[in-house]
């Protein structure tokens, strides 16, 4: 089966039926979107149209994705823009995010969906309006119509995160909000060796912090790849998995940092995995800081990304051109 990637000042601050989720408590409070073992969402017939958003944001100023008004979150800001742009109430929008990123975590390919009771002839105007209402550190990269079966969270097949580490004596000031600074010279060869132990289907209980959500997560996740890429002083750790427990990515990275410092051997990874005990990991490493983490993309079945009939095409933003020079020549 084929897959596809869906992947400061602001005015907001001083015909059809679709399958929709009753999303009370769907947007939980966790990082790295724990894919809980729960029943499929309750499906209601809600009159209207479903729309998919691809969102990028700098998470520095925000308390993660999940809705709360103070301190502000990404979902809260996006919903305020949607309320003004669509003239609908929050309860009618049914906004659902695919990944509940934590405080300070960034995203290039966050995906969300919302509902309207009306169709659009074109999405370029609402796209431009939303970005005009949002602060400059949150952008709607794409907006497209979605089929009724699409669900931003439950339709996801895999998620890709990047974690950046700046490995030099002096930190690059242009990377300070987006990369963790390690003054210790890291051995990337042993980091790659250790990362291989994460790949595959494992019980990651030892790498999960206690969740603030009252659901019981399924600790068994599949990691498809874990690459350690060197780009000069910058190390980029690329992780793709079926889902992640609360702070799982940052805990896996934290252990790799200790291994890269050669404080512990690479074979510590399977030993800690086998314990299924978070306290065992705590003997060697704490969670890596959030600002180095970025949600890059979310992958879905291509059938869930197809455009429904009778709806406008995807908007990637409106560009402007100058047809002729309006300034006089001298």
């Amino acid at each position: 089966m084929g897959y596809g990637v869906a992947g400061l000042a602001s005015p907001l601050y001083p015909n059809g039926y679709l399958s929709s989720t009753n999303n009370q408590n769907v947007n939980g409070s966790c990082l790295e979107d724990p894919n809980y073992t729960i029943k499929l969402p309750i499906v209601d017939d809600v009159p209207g149209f479903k729309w998919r958003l691809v969102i990028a944001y700098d998470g520095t100023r925000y308390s993660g994705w999940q809705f709360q008004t103070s301190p502000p979150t990404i979902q809260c800001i996006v919903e305020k823009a949607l309320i003004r742009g669509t003239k609908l109430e929050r309860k009618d929008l049914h906004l659902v995010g695919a990944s509940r990123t934590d405080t300070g975590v960034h995203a290039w390919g966050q995906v969300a969906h919302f509902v309207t009771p009306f169709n659009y002839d074109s999405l370029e105007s609402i796209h431009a309006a939303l970005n005009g209402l949002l602060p400059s550190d949150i952008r709607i990269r794409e907006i497209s119509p979605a089929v009724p079966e699409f669900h931003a969270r439950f339709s996801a097949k895999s998620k890709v995160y990047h974690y950046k580490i700046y490995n030099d004596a002096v930190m690059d000031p242009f990377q300070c909000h987006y990369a963790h600074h390690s003054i210790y010279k890291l051995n990337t060869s042993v980091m790659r060796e250790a990362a291989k132990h994460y790949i595959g289907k494992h019980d990651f209980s030892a790498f999960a912090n206690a969740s603030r959500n009252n659901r019981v997560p399924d600790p068994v996740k599949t990691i498809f790849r874990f690459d350690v890429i060197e780009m000069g002083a910058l190390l980029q750790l690329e992780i793709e998995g079926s889902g992640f427990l609360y702070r799982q990515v940052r805990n896996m990275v934290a252990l790799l940092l200790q291994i890269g410092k050669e404080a512990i051997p690479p074979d510590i990874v399977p030993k800690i995995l086998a314990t299924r005990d978070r306290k065992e990991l705590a003997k060697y490493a704490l969670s890596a800081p959030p600002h180095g983490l970025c949600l890059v993309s979310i992958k879905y079945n291509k059938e869930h990304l197809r455009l429904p009939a009778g709806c406008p095409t995807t908007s990637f933003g409106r560009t402007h051109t100058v047809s002729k020079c309006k300034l006089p020549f001298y």
Side-chain angles (χ1 to χ4, degrees), residues 18 20-24 27 44 46-47 67 75-76 78-80 82-84 86-96 113-117:
L18 53 84
S20 179
T21 303
N22 178 0
N23 65 326
Q24 295 299 318
N27 292 307
D44 297 320
V46 179
F67 182 87
Q75 183 182 0
C76 175
V78 171
E79 283 189 346
K80 285 188 175 184
L82 284 169
I83 288 167
R84 289 187 57 179
T86 64
K87 311 301 182 186
L88 297 173
E89 298 294 329
R90 177 176 182 252
K91 63 181 177 61
D92 299 321
L93 289 168
H94 298 277
L95 179 68
V96 177
H113 75 256
F114 69 98
V115 175
T116 62

PDB file of all heavy atoms in Angstrom, residues 18 20-24 27 44 46-47 67 75-76 78-80 82-84 86-96 113-117:
ATOM      1  N   LEU A  18     -19.842  14.075   6.526  1.00  0.00           N
ATOM      2  CA  LEU A  18     -18.524  13.498   6.686  1.00  0.00           C
ATOM      3  C   LEU A  18     -18.462  12.753   7.998  1.00  0.00           C
ATOM      4  O   LEU A  18     -19.242  12.986   8.906  1.00  0.00           O
ATOM      5  CB  LEU A  18     -17.449  14.588   6.636  1.00  0.00           C
ATOM      6  CG  LEU A  18     -17.596  15.783   7.589  1.00  0.00           C
ATOM      7  CD1 LEU A  18     -17.030  15.449   8.942  1.00  0.00           C
ATOM      8  CD2 LEU A  18     -16.909  16.999   7.010  1.00  0.00           C
ATOM      9  N   SER A  20     -16.890  12.294  11.333  1.00  0.00           N
ATOM     10  CA  SER A  20     -16.137  13.173  12.211  1.00  0.00           C
ATOM     11  C   SER A  20     -16.037  12.539  13.583  1.00  0.00           C
ATOM     12  O   SER A  20     -16.864  11.738  13.987  1.00  0.00           O
ATOM     13  CB  SER A  20     -16.834  14.531  12.311  1.00  0.00           C
ATOM     14  OG  SER A  20     -16.146  15.390  13.177  1.00  0.00           O
ATOM     15  N   THR A  21     -14.975  12.948  14.298  1.00  0.00           N
ATOM     16  CA  THR A  21     -14.743  12.370  15.612  1.00  0.00           C
ATOM     17  C   THR A  21     -15.314  13.248  16.700  1.00  0.00           C
ATOM     18  O   THR A  21     -15.189  14.458  16.670  1.00  0.00           O
ATOM     19  CB  THR A  21     -13.222  12.243  15.849  1.00  0.00           C
ATOM     20  OG1 THR A  21     -12.701  11.469  14.791  1.00  0.00           O
ATOM     21  CG2 THR A  21     -12.927  11.575  17.168  1.00  0.00           C
ATOM     22  N   ASN A  22     -15.936  12.620  17.658  1.00  0.00           N
ATOM     23  CA  ASN A  22     -16.284  13.324  18.873  1.00  0.00           C
ATOM     24  C   ASN A  22     -14.991  13.523  19.636  1.00  0.00           C
ATOM     25  O   ASN A  22     -14.526  12.640  20.331  1.00  0.00           O
ATOM     26  CB  ASN A  22     -17.261  12.474  19.700  1.00  0.00           C
ATOM     27  CG  ASN A  22     -17.624  13.146  21.009  1.00  0.00           C
ATOM     28  OD1 ASN A  22     -17.146  14.232  21.292  1.00  0.00           O
ATOM     29  ND2 ASN A  22     -18.455  12.488  21.777  1.00  0.00           N
ATOM     30  N   ASN A  23     -14.359  14.697  19.472  1.00  0.00           N
ATOM     31  CA  ASN A  23     -12.986  14.829  19.911  1.00  0.00           C
ATOM     32  C   ASN A  23     -12.847  15.453  21.294  1.00  0.00           C
ATOM     33  O   ASN A  23     -11.902  16.143  21.575  1.00  0.00           O
ATOM     34  CB  ASN A  23     -12.174  15.634  18.884  1.00  0.00           C
ATOM     35  CG  ASN A  23     -12.638  17.056  18.778  1.00  0.00           C
ATOM     36  OD1 ASN A  23     -13.819  17.333  18.911  1.00  0.00           O
ATOM     37  ND2 ASN A  23     -11.718  17.961  18.526  1.00  0.00           N
ATOM     38  N   GLN A  24     -13.765  15.184  22.167  1.00  0.00           N
ATOM     39  CA  GLN A  24     -13.548  15.562  23.547  1.00  0.00           C
ATOM     40  C   GLN A  24     -12.381  14.746  24.072  1.00  0.00           C
ATOM     41  O   GLN A  24     -12.379  13.526  24.045  1.00  0.00           O
ATOM     42  CB  GLN A  24     -14.798  15.271  24.390  1.00  0.00           C
ATOM     43  CG  GLN A  24     -16.000  16.100  23.990  1.00  0.00           C
ATOM     44  CD  GLN A  24     -15.754  17.577  24.141  1.00  0.00           C
ATOM     45  OE1 GLN A  24     -15.175  18.005  25.120  1.00  0.00           O
ATOM     46  NE2 GLN A  24     -16.168  18.357  23.165  1.00  0.00           N
ATOM     47  N   ASN A  27      -7.420  15.657  21.822  1.00  0.00           N
ATOM     48  CA  ASN A  27      -6.150  16.364  21.861  1.00  0.00           C
ATOM     49  C   ASN A  27      -5.620  16.341  23.277  1.00  0.00           C
ATOM     50  O   ASN A  27      -5.916  17.189  24.090  1.00  0.00           O
ATOM     51  CB  ASN A  27      -6.324  17.819  21.391  1.00  0.00           C
ATOM     52  CG  ASN A  27      -6.648  17.864  19.929  1.00  0.00           C
ATOM     53  OD1 ASN A  27      -5.934  17.279  19.124  1.00  0.00           O
ATOM     54  ND2 ASN A  27      -7.727  18.517  19.568  1.00  0.00           N
ATOM     55  N   ASP A  44     -19.532  10.140  14.004  1.00  0.00           N
ATOM     56  CA  ASP A  44     -20.843  10.769  13.917  1.00  0.00           C
ATOM     57  C   ASP A  44     -21.018  11.294  12.502  1.00  0.00           C
ATOM     58  O   ASP A  44     -20.056  11.609  11.813  1.00  0.00           O
ATOM     59  CB  ASP A  44     -20.955  11.952  14.888  1.00  0.00           C
ATOM     60  CG  ASP A  44     -20.819  11.506  16.332  1.00  0.00           C
ATOM     61  OD1 ASP A  44     -21.364  10.446  16.665  1.00  0.00           O
ATOM     62  OD2 ASP A  44     -20.167  12.228  17.101  1.00  0.00           O
ATOM     63  N   VAL A  46     -21.736  14.316  10.717  1.00  0.00           N
ATOM     64  CA  VAL A  46     -21.794  15.754  10.937  1.00  0.00           C
ATOM     65  C   VAL A  46     -21.916  16.426   9.581  1.00  0.00           C
ATOM     66  O   VAL A  46     -21.070  16.215   8.712  1.00  0.00           O
ATOM     67  CB  VAL A  46     -20.524  16.253  11.653  1.00  0.00           C
ATOM     68  CG1 VAL A  46     -20.587  17.764  11.849  1.00  0.00           C
ATOM     69  CG2 VAL A  46     -20.346  15.535  12.979  1.00  0.00           C
ATOM     70  N   PRO A  47     -22.976  17.213   9.360  1.00  0.00           N
ATOM     71  CA  PRO A  47     -23.106  17.867   8.065  1.00  0.00           C
ATOM     72  C   PRO A  47     -21.981  18.875   7.858  1.00  0.00           C
ATOM     73  O   PRO A  47     -21.711  19.685   8.737  1.00  0.00           O
ATOM     74  CB  PRO A  47     -24.471  18.553   8.150  1.00  0.00           C
ATOM     75  CG  PRO A  47     -24.726  18.710   9.605  1.00  0.00           C
ATOM     76  CD  PRO A  47     -24.067  17.549  10.280  1.00  0.00           C
ATOM     77  N   PHE A  67      -4.665  22.486  23.427  1.00  0.00           N
ATOM     78  CA  PHE A  67      -5.386  23.721  23.731  1.00  0.00           C
ATOM     79  C   PHE A  67      -5.284  24.120  25.197  1.00  0.00           C
ATOM     80  O   PHE A  67      -5.578  23.339  26.097  1.00  0.00           O
ATOM     81  CB  PHE A  67      -6.861  23.565  23.368  1.00  0.00           C
ATOM     82  CG  PHE A  67      -7.656  24.824  23.623  1.00  0.00           C
ATOM     83  CD1 PHE A  67      -7.751  25.805  22.653  1.00  0.00           C
ATOM     84  CD2 PHE A  67      -8.285  25.034  24.843  1.00  0.00           C
ATOM     85  CE1 PHE A  67      -8.468  26.975  22.885  1.00  0.00           C
ATOM     86  CE2 PHE A  67      -9.002  26.196  25.090  1.00  0.00           C
ATOM     87  CZ  PHE A  67      -9.089  27.172  24.101  1.00  0.00           C
ATOM     88  N   GLN A  75      -2.424  25.109  19.304  1.00  0.00           N
ATOM     89  CA  GLN A  75      -3.829  24.834  18.979  1.00  0.00           C
ATOM     90  C   GLN A  75      -4.707  26.021  19.317  1.00  0.00           C
ATOM     91  O   GLN A  75      -5.615  26.379  18.547  1.00  0.00           O
ATOM     92  CB  GLN A  75      -4.317  23.593  19.719  1.00  0.00           C
ATOM     93  CG  GLN A  75      -5.760  23.226  19.350  1.00  0.00           C
ATOM     94  CD  GLN A  75      -6.282  22.016  20.110  1.00  0.00           C
ATOM     95  OE1 GLN A  75      -5.563  21.437  20.924  1.00  0.00           O
ATOM     96  NE2 GLN A  75      -7.515  21.643  19.850  1.00  0.00           N
ATOM     97  N   CYS A  76      -4.451  26.646  20.442  1.00  0.00           N
ATOM     98  CA  CYS A  76      -5.240  27.812  20.855  1.00  0.00           C
ATOM     99  C   CYS A  76      -5.128  28.936  19.823  1.00  0.00           C
ATOM    100  O   CYS A  76      -6.140  29.518  19.415  1.00  0.00           O
ATOM    101  CB  CYS A  76      -4.763  28.293  22.220  1.00  0.00           C
ATOM    102  SG  CYS A  76      -5.560  29.812  22.797  1.00  0.00           S
ATOM    103  N   VAL A  78      -4.148  28.734  16.605  1.00  0.00           N
ATOM    104  CA  VAL A  78      -4.722  28.335  15.316  1.00  0.00           C
ATOM    105  C   VAL A  78      -6.246  28.387  15.380  1.00  0.00           C
ATOM    106  O   VAL A  78      -6.905  28.837  14.435  1.00  0.00           O
ATOM    107  CB  VAL A  78      -4.225  26.936  14.909  1.00  0.00           C
ATOM    108  CG1 VAL A  78      -4.983  26.419  13.684  1.00  0.00           C
ATOM    109  CG2 VAL A  78      -2.728  26.965  14.614  1.00  0.00           C
ATOM    110  N   GLU A  79      -6.829  27.937  16.482  1.00  0.00           N
ATOM    111  CA  GLU A  79      -8.287  27.971  16.609  1.00  0.00           C
ATOM    112  C   GLU A  79      -8.813  29.403  16.594  1.00  0.00           C
ATOM    113  O   GLU A  79      -9.854  29.682  16.000  1.00  0.00           O
ATOM    114  CB  GLU A  79      -8.728  27.251  17.880  1.00  0.00           C
ATOM    115  CG  GLU A  79      -8.699  25.732  17.750  1.00  0.00           C
ATOM    116  CD  GLU A  79      -9.339  25.028  18.920  1.00  0.00           C
ATOM    117  OE1 GLU A  79      -9.578  25.679  19.971  1.00  0.00           O
ATOM    118  OE2 GLU A  79      -9.600  23.819  18.815  1.00  0.00           O
ATOM    119  N   LYS A  80      -8.105  30.320  17.231  1.00  0.00           N
ATOM    120  CA  LYS A  80      -8.546  31.719  17.213  1.00  0.00           C
ATOM    121  C   LYS A  80      -8.558  32.262  15.787  1.00  0.00           C
ATOM    122  O   LYS A  80      -9.466  33.005  15.398  1.00  0.00           O
ATOM    123  CB  LYS A  80      -7.636  32.570  18.100  1.00  0.00           C
ATOM    124  CG  LYS A  80      -7.880  32.382  19.593  1.00  0.00           C
ATOM    125  CD  LYS A  80      -7.083  33.383  20.406  1.00  0.00           C
ATOM    126  CE  LYS A  80      -7.417  33.277  21.886  1.00  0.00           C
ATOM    127  NZ  LYS A  80      -6.718  34.312  22.690  1.00  0.00           N
ATOM    128  N   LEU A  82      -8.914  30.426  13.054  1.00  0.00           N
ATOM    129  CA  LEU A  82     -10.003  29.753  12.348  1.00  0.00           C
ATOM    130  C   LEU A  82     -11.364  30.344  12.726  1.00  0.00           C
ATOM    131  O   LEU A  82     -12.245  30.494  11.870  1.00  0.00           O
ATOM    132  CB  LEU A  82      -9.989  28.258  12.669  1.00  0.00           C
ATOM    133  CG  LEU A  82      -8.906  27.425  11.973  1.00  0.00           C
ATOM    134  CD1 LEU A  82      -8.838  26.032  12.580  1.00  0.00           C
ATOM    135  CD2 LEU A  82      -9.174  27.343  10.477  1.00  0.00           C
ATOM    136  N   ILE A  83     -11.542  30.677  13.989  1.00  0.00           N
ATOM    137  CA  ILE A  83     -12.810  31.273  14.436  1.00  0.00           C
ATOM    138  C   ILE A  83     -13.055  32.601  13.708  1.00  0.00           C
ATOM    139  O   ILE A  83     -14.155  32.869  13.223  1.00  0.00           O
ATOM    140  CB  ILE A  83     -12.800  31.464  15.967  1.00  0.00           C
ATOM    141  CG1 ILE A  83     -12.907  30.106  16.672  1.00  0.00           C
ATOM    142  CG2 ILE A  83     -13.929  32.390  16.417  1.00  0.00           C
ATOM    143  CD1 ILE A  83     -12.593  30.154  18.157  1.00  0.00           C
ATOM    144  N   ARG A  84     -12.010  33.413  13.599  1.00  0.00           N
ATOM    145  CA  ARG A  84     -12.164  34.695  12.912  1.00  0.00           C
ATOM    146  C   ARG A  84     -12.277  34.516  11.403  1.00  0.00           C
ATOM    147  O   ARG A  84     -13.015  35.234  10.734  1.00  0.00           O
ATOM    148  CB  ARG A  84     -10.993  35.617  13.251  1.00  0.00           C
ATOM    149  CG  ARG A  84     -11.042  36.109  14.691  1.00  0.00           C
ATOM    150  CD  ARG A  84      -9.989  37.145  14.976  1.00  0.00           C
ATOM    151  NE  ARG A  84     -10.070  38.307  14.086  1.00  0.00           N
ATOM    152  CZ  ARG A  84      -9.249  39.343  14.166  1.00  0.00           C
ATOM    153  NH1 ARG A  84      -8.309  39.369  15.098  1.00  0.00           N
ATOM    154  NH2 ARG A  84      -9.368  40.350  13.327  1.00  0.00           N
ATOM    155  N   THR A  86     -13.415  31.826   9.697  1.00  0.00           N
ATOM    156  CA  THR A  86     -14.605  31.090   9.242  1.00  0.00           C
ATOM    157  C   THR A  86     -15.899  31.630   9.832  1.00  0.00           C
ATOM    158  O   THR A  86     -16.974  31.257   9.383  1.00  0.00           O
ATOM    159  CB  THR A  86     -14.491  29.601   9.622  1.00  0.00           C
ATOM    160  OG1 THR A  86     -14.486  29.481  11.058  1.00  0.00           O
ATOM    161  CG2 THR A  86     -13.232  28.974   9.043  1.00  0.00           C
ATOM    162  N   LYS A  87     -15.800  32.461  10.896  1.00  0.00           N
ATOM    163  CA  LYS A  87     -16.968  32.988  11.621  1.00  0.00           C
ATOM    164  C   LYS A  87     -17.734  31.865  12.350  1.00  0.00           C
ATOM    165  O   LYS A  87     -18.929  31.991  12.606  1.00  0.00           O
ATOM    166  CB  LYS A  87     -17.936  33.750  10.694  1.00  0.00           C
ATOM    167  CG  LYS A  87     -17.278  34.783   9.803  1.00  0.00           C
ATOM    168  CD  LYS A  87     -16.545  35.849  10.589  1.00  0.00           C
ATOM    169  CE  LYS A  87     -15.932  36.898   9.666  1.00  0.00           C
ATOM    170  NZ  LYS A  87     -15.107  37.870  10.410  1.00  0.00           N
ATOM    171  N   LEU A  88     -17.037  30.782  12.677  1.00  0.00           N
ATOM    172  CA  LEU A  88     -17.651  29.662  13.389  1.00  0.00           C
ATOM    173  C   LEU A  88     -17.199  29.650  14.840  1.00  0.00           C
ATOM    174  O   LEU A  88     -16.176  30.243  15.198  1.00  0.00           O
ATOM    175  CB  LEU A  88     -17.276  28.335  12.729  1.00  0.00           C
ATOM    176  CG  LEU A  88     -17.741  28.118  11.283  1.00  0.00           C
ATOM    177  CD1 LEU A  88     -17.146  26.827  10.729  1.00  0.00           C
ATOM    178  CD2 LEU A  88     -19.267  28.077  11.202  1.00  0.00           C
ATOM    179  N   GLU A  89     -17.946  28.938  15.678  1.00  0.00           N
ATOM    180  CA  GLU A  89     -17.562  28.762  17.068  1.00  0.00           C
ATOM    181  C   GLU A  89     -16.530  27.636  17.176  1.00  0.00           C
ATOM    182  O   GLU A  89     -16.469  26.743  16.324  1.00  0.00           O
ATOM    183  CB  GLU A  89     -18.782  28.422  17.923  1.00  0.00           C
ATOM    184  CG  GLU A  89     -19.844  29.506  17.958  1.00  0.00           C
ATOM    185  CD  GLU A  89     -19.360  30.768  18.656  1.00  0.00           C
ATOM    186  OE1 GLU A  89     -18.516  30.640  19.588  1.00  0.00           O
ATOM    187  OE2 GLU A  89     -19.789  31.868  18.281  1.00  0.00           O
ATOM    188  N   ARG A  90     -15.744  27.658  18.243  1.00  0.00           N
ATOM    189  CA  ARG A  90     -14.723  26.625  18.455  1.00  0.00           C
ATOM    190  C   ARG A  90     -15.326  25.223  18.451  1.00  0.00           C
ATOM    191  O   ARG A  90     -14.778  24.303  17.855  1.00  0.00           O
ATOM    192  CB  ARG A  90     -13.989  26.883  19.771  1.00  0.00           C
ATOM    193  CG  ARG A  90     -12.953  25.812  20.102  1.00  0.00           C
ATOM    194  CD  ARG A  90     -12.160  26.129  21.362  1.00  0.00           C
ATOM    195  NE  ARG A  90     -11.175  25.076  21.563  1.00  0.00           N
ATOM    196  CZ  ARG A  90     -11.249  24.154  22.508  1.00  0.00           C
ATOM    197  NH1 ARG A  90     -12.265  24.133  23.353  1.00  0.00           N
ATOM    198  NH2 ARG A  90     -10.308  23.221  22.619  1.00  0.00           N
ATOM    199  N   LYS A  91     -16.468  25.061  19.100  1.00  0.00           N
ATOM    200  CA  LYS A  91     -17.095  23.737  19.207  1.00  0.00           C
ATOM    201  C   LYS A  91     -17.537  23.195  17.855  1.00  0.00           C
ATOM    202  O   LYS A  91     -17.700  21.984  17.685  1.00  0.00           O
ATOM    203  CB  LYS A  91     -18.289  23.785  20.158  1.00  0.00           C
ATOM    204  CG  LYS A  91     -19.424  24.701  19.698  1.00  0.00           C
ATOM    205  CD  LYS A  91     -20.553  24.724  20.689  1.00  0.00           C
ATOM    206  CE  LYS A  91     -21.654  25.694  20.280  1.00  0.00           C
ATOM    207  NZ  LYS A  91     -22.268  25.346  18.996  1.00  0.00           N
ATOM    208  N   ASP A  92     -17.733  24.076  16.876  1.00  0.00           N
ATOM    209  CA  ASP A  92     -18.177  23.655  15.550  1.00  0.00           C
ATOM    210  C   ASP A  92     -17.016  23.306  14.616  1.00  0.00           C
ATOM    211  O   ASP A  92     -17.217  22.661  13.587  1.00  0.00           O
ATOM    212  CB  ASP A  92     -19.025  24.749  14.898  1.00  0.00           C
ATOM    213  CG  ASP A  92     -20.273  25.056  15.708  1.00  0.00           C
ATOM    214  OD1 ASP A  92     -20.878  24.101  16.232  1.00  0.00           O
ATOM    215  OD2 ASP A  92     -20.629  26.248  15.826  1.00  0.00           O
ATOM    216  N   LEU A  93     -15.801  23.732  14.983  1.00  0.00           N
ATOM    217  CA  LEU A  93     -14.646  23.515  14.112  1.00  0.00           C
ATOM    218  C   LEU A  93     -14.080  22.101  14.238  1.00  0.00           C
ATOM    219  O   LEU A  93     -13.516  21.567  13.293  1.00  0.00           O
ATOM    220  CB  LEU A  93     -13.544  24.525  14.437  1.00  0.00           C
ATOM    221  CG  LEU A  93     -13.829  25.970  14.036  1.00  0.00           C
ATOM    222  CD1 LEU A  93     -12.814  26.902  14.668  1.00  0.00           C
ATOM    223  CD2 LEU A  93     -13.793  26.113  12.515  1.00  0.00           C
ATOM    224  N   HIS A  94     -14.184  21.508  15.438  1.00  0.00           N
ATOM    225  CA  HIS A  94     -13.674  20.147  15.676  1.00  0.00           C
ATOM    226  C   HIS A  94     -12.212  20.015  15.250  1.00  0.00           C
ATOM    227  O   HIS A  94     -11.832  19.035  14.601  1.00  0.00           O
ATOM    228  CB  HIS A  94     -14.519  19.109  14.935  1.00  0.00           C
ATOM    229  CG  HIS A  94     -15.954  19.060  15.361  1.00  0.00           C
ATOM    230  ND1 HIS A  94     -16.386  18.364  16.465  1.00  0.00           N
ATOM    231  CD2 HIS A  94     -17.066  19.634  14.827  1.00  0.00           C
ATOM    232  CE1 HIS A  94     -17.686  18.495  16.596  1.00  0.00           C
ATOM    233  NE2 HIS A  94     -18.122  19.278  15.625  1.00  0.00           N
ATOM    234  N   LEU A  95     -11.384  20.997  15.622  1.00  0.00           N
ATOM    235  CA  LEU A  95      -9.975  20.963  15.229  1.00  0.00           C
ATOM    236  C   LEU A  95      -9.247  19.837  15.967  1.00  0.00           C
ATOM    237  O   LEU A  95      -9.303  19.740  17.187  1.00  0.00           O
ATOM    238  CB  LEU A  95      -9.303  22.302  15.538  1.00  0.00           C
ATOM    239  CG  LEU A  95      -7.812  22.391  15.183  1.00  0.00           C
ATOM    240  CD1 LEU A  95      -7.614  22.363  13.671  1.00  0.00           C
ATOM    241  CD2 LEU A  95      -7.194  23.659  15.775  1.00  0.00           C
ATOM    242  N   VAL A  96      -8.557  18.983  15.210  1.00  0.00           N
ATOM    243  CA  VAL A  96      -7.799  17.864  15.769  1.00  0.00           C
ATOM    244  C   VAL A  96      -6.394  17.881  15.188  1.00  0.00           C
ATOM    245  O   VAL A  96      -6.224  17.964  13.974  1.00  0.00           O
ATOM    246  CB  VAL A  96      -8.463  16.508  15.439  1.00  0.00           C
ATOM    247  CG1 VAL A  96      -7.619  15.347  15.966  1.00  0.00           C
ATOM    248  CG2 VAL A  96      -9.870  16.440  16.013  1.00  0.00           C
ATOM    249  N   HIS A 113      -6.930  18.695  11.187  1.00  0.00           N
ATOM    250  CA  HIS A 113      -8.124  18.848  10.351  1.00  0.00           C
ATOM    251  C   HIS A 113      -9.188  19.595  11.128  1.00  0.00           C
ATOM    252  O   HIS A 113      -9.200  19.603  12.356  1.00  0.00           O
ATOM    253  CB  HIS A 113      -8.649  17.491   9.847  1.00  0.00           C
ATOM    254  CG  HIS A 113      -9.360  16.661  10.871  1.00  0.00           C
ATOM    255  ND1 HIS A 113      -8.794  15.568  11.489  1.00  0.00           N
ATOM    256  CD2 HIS A 113     -10.611  16.764  11.397  1.00  0.00           C
ATOM    257  CE1 HIS A 113      -9.649  15.034  12.344  1.00  0.00           C
ATOM    258  NE2 HIS A 113     -10.764  15.750  12.306  1.00  0.00           N
ATOM    259  N   PHE A 114     -10.086  20.258  10.374  1.00  0.00           N
ATOM    260  CA  PHE A 114     -11.213  20.950  10.980  1.00  0.00           C
ATOM    261  C   PHE A 114     -12.409  20.803  10.054  1.00  0.00           C
ATOM    262  O   PHE A 114     -12.295  20.341   8.915  1.00  0.00           O
ATOM    263  CB  PHE A 114     -10.894  22.424  11.276  1.00  0.00           C
ATOM    264  CG  PHE A 114     -10.736  23.296  10.060  1.00  0.00           C
ATOM    265  CD1 PHE A 114     -11.792  24.085   9.598  1.00  0.00           C
ATOM    266  CD2 PHE A 114      -9.519  23.348   9.369  1.00  0.00           C
ATOM    267  CE1 PHE A 114     -11.646  24.895   8.480  1.00  0.00           C
ATOM    268  CE2 PHE A 114      -9.368  24.151   8.248  1.00  0.00           C
ATOM    269  CZ  PHE A 114     -10.433  24.934   7.804  1.00  0.00           C
ATOM    270  N   VAL A 115     -13.575  21.221  10.554  1.00  0.00           N
ATOM    271  CA  VAL A 115     -14.839  21.012   9.843  1.00  0.00           C
ATOM    272  C   VAL A 115     -15.541  22.356   9.644  1.00  0.00           C
ATOM    273  O   VAL A 115     -15.500  23.230  10.517  1.00  0.00           O
ATOM    274  CB  VAL A 115     -15.754  20.064  10.653  1.00  0.00           C
ATOM    275  CG1 VAL A 115     -17.125  19.931  10.010  1.00  0.00           C
ATOM    276  CG2 VAL A 115     -15.106  18.699  10.803  1.00  0.00           C
ATOM    277  N   THR A 116     -16.165  22.523   8.489  1.00  0.00           N
ATOM    278  CA  THR A 116     -17.057  23.673   8.263  1.00  0.00           C
ATOM    279  C   THR A 116     -18.377  23.165   7.688  1.00  0.00           C
ATOM    280  O   THR A 116     -18.399  22.131   7.005  1.00  0.00           O
ATOM    281  CB  THR A 116     -16.452  24.691   7.269  1.00  0.00           C
ATOM    282  OG1 THR A 116     -16.266  24.062   5.999  1.00  0.00           O
ATOM    283  CG2 THR A 116     -15.136  25.243   7.769  1.00  0.00           C
ATOM    284  N   PRO A 117     -19.483  23.870   7.924  1.00  0.00           N
ATOM    285  CA  PRO A 117     -20.764  23.459   7.342  1.00  0.00           C
ATOM    286  C   PRO A 117     -20.910  23.898   5.890  1.00  0.00           C
ATOM    287  O   PRO A 117     -21.917  23.599   5.255  1.00  0.00           O
ATOM    288  CB  PRO A 117     -21.783  24.164   8.230  1.00  0.00           C
ATOM    289  CG  PRO A 117     -21.081  25.381   8.722  1.00  0.00           C
ATOM    290  CD  PRO A 117     -19.634  24.989   8.874  1.00  0.00           C
TER     291      PRO A 117
END
